[in-house]
Amino acid sequence: MQQTLDITRTSRKIVSQMLAGYTLDQLNKIPEGYNNNLIWNIAHIIVVQQMLVYNLSGVPMMISNEMVEKYKKGTKPEHIATQAEVDEIQTLLVETINQTETDLENKIFTNYQEYPTSAGIVLKSALDAIAFNDFHEGMHIGVIMSIRKLV
C-alpha cells in the first residue's frame, strides 16, 4: 500500500505544481468544448478521494459538505472559485493524502460500503478505493493537461 500512496503523492505533486502555475482567471476559465475548468478538475480529485475512501468507510471526511456539493461527480463549475478556495485546495492536495496514510496506519477503515465505479470496477474496501483513486486521478490529470493548453 505504501507504493500506492507514493504514486498518489506524485500525482498530487504534479497537480499542485500545475495549480500554482495559473492565475485565478485561468483556473476558472472553461475552454470551448469542455464542461469544466482546471480548478474544478483539481478540487474534484480531492472530493472523490475523500468520498471513496472516507465516506464509504463511514469515517468523517476532511472536506466540507459545501466542497462535496460543488465538486462531486456529476457537477460542473457553477461559481467562480476565489483565491481562498484555491489556497484551501492547494493545502488539501497534500493534507488529505498525509491523513489517509495516518488513518491507514491507525486501522480506522474497518467497514466499507461496496461501491461499483462508473469504470466497472467494484470497490470492496478502503484499500481498493485508494488503489482505484490513482486511476481516477490519472484520468483527470489527462483532462487538466488538455485544458491547460487552452487557457
Side-chain angles (χ1 to χ4, degrees):
M1 185 50 51
Q2 187 59 51
Q3 173 127 2
T4 302
L5 289 170
D6 289 346
I7 292 167
T8 307
R9 278 197 177 89
T10 299
S11 165
R12 295 289 179 96
K13 182 178 179 183
I14 291 166
V15 171
S16 177
Q17 290 169 344
M18 285 190 238
L19 178 59
Y22 292 92
T23 66
L24 201 51
D25 286 342
Q26 289 173 313
L27 291 170
N28 280 294
K29 181 179 180 182
I30 302 173
E32 189 174 328
Y34 286 81
N35 296 327
N36 50 48
N37 53 28
L38 291 171
I39 197 63
W40 183 91
N41 277 278
I42 295 168
H44 174 74
I45 66 173
I46 294 167
V47 167
V48 168
Q49 185 267 346
Q50 289 287 293
M51 292 182 74
L52 290 178
V53 178
Y54 285 82
N55 193 51
L56 290 172
S57 293
V59 175
M61 296 184 287
M62 292 179 59
I63 59 175
S64 68
N65 289 336
E66 179 185 3
M67 187 173 185
V68 171
E69 290 305 312
K70 285 181 183 177
Y71 301 108
K72 69 184 179 181
K73 179 180 176 182
T75 64
K76 61 183 179 182
E78 295 189 12
H79 78 290
I80 300 298
T82 65
Q83 188 60 52
E85 286 177 276
V86 172
D87 294 345
E88 177 186 23
I89 290 164
Q90 184 71 272
T91 299
L92 287 169
L93 281 168
V94 175
E95 286 184 356
T96 52
I97 301 308
N98 290 342
Q99 188 63 51
T100 299
E101 182 171 30
T102 298
D103 291 341
L104 272 172
E105 291 167 359
N106 292 330
K107 300 180 182 354
I108 71 162
F109 303 115
T110 56
N111 298 311
Y112 195 81
Q113 180 182 336
E114 192 172 289
Y115 179 75
T117 69
S118 55
I121 299 167
V122 178
L123 306 178
K124 296 182 180 187
S125 69
L127 296 179
D128 288 352
I130 292 166
F132 175 79
N133 184 65
D134 285 342
F135 166 77
H136 178 260
E137 289 193 16
M139 288 190 331
H140 283 278
I141 288 173
V143 173
I144 290 165
M145 293 177 120
S146 294
I147 291 175
R148 72 184 187 152
K149 295 175 185 175
L150 304 172
V151 298

